[in-house]
Each structure stands twice: as C-alpha cells, then as structure tokens.
Amino acid sequence: MAPRALRRRGVSARHSDDGLRRDRDHAAAVGGCRLWREAAIIIAVVLSVCLLCMLCFVSAGLIARTLGRTGNAVLSRVLGMLLAAYSVQFAIKGIAAVRASLP
C-alpha cells in the first residue's frame, strides 16, 4: 500500500513499513528453507530415476532373454503405440494453443 493511502486510513507510514519489513524477512527465511527442501527432494527424485534407468540398461540382456522374441515384438509394438498417442496429444495441444492465441 502507498503511504498516502495508509495515512487516509489512519495508519502511519513508519508503522506499516516496520510491519512489512518484518513480514518480508520472515517470508524470506521460511521461503529459503522451503526452496532448499524442495531442491533436495527434486535432486533425490532425479537420482532415483537415474539409478532405475541404469539398472534397466545393465539388465537389458537378461530382460530381452526373459521376454523372448515374441515378448520383445509385443513390447516394441505397445511402446510404439504409446509414443504415437503422446505425439498426437502433443500436436493437438499445440494446435489448440495456437488457435487460442489467434484473434
């Protein structure tokens, strides 16, 4: 709020600035802690996904032998359909965004 608007309401500018400064300092302290915690969670999730991918790549030969020729063909077709569905969804959302931005 502007000091003029505060004076109209009967609040002194000095009193309101002290309160705002105190609230801003508290928010910065809490927000800084929250940001650090969120960053740690994101890093842990990324490392977990990397570890899972590494385990899949290391055991790819075993998985391929376990699935066999037919299993690999089926898995390949299912993943191809999933990729096609994602690409169609991506294209539809892009077209909808362009149409929404046009006058």
Side-chain angles (χ1 to χ4, degrees), residues 24-67:
R24 186 179 59 234
D25 292 342
H26 176 72
V30 172
C33 180
R34 184 181 306 143
L35 290 176
W36 182 84
R37 197 173 313 149
E38 288 176 357
I41 290 170
I42 290 171
I43 290 171
V45 168
V46 168
L47 288 176
S48 300
V49 169
C50 287
L51 179 65
L52 184 65
C53 287
M54 186 188 76
L55 289 174
C56 287
F57 286 139
V58 167
S59 61
L62 178 64
I63 292 172
R65 282 192 305 271
T66 303
L67 289 176

Side-chain angles (χ1 to χ4, degrees), residues 88-100:
V88 168
Q89 180 183 3
F90 186 71
I92 289 172
K93 284 191 175 202
I95 291 170
V98 169
R99 287 187 66 200

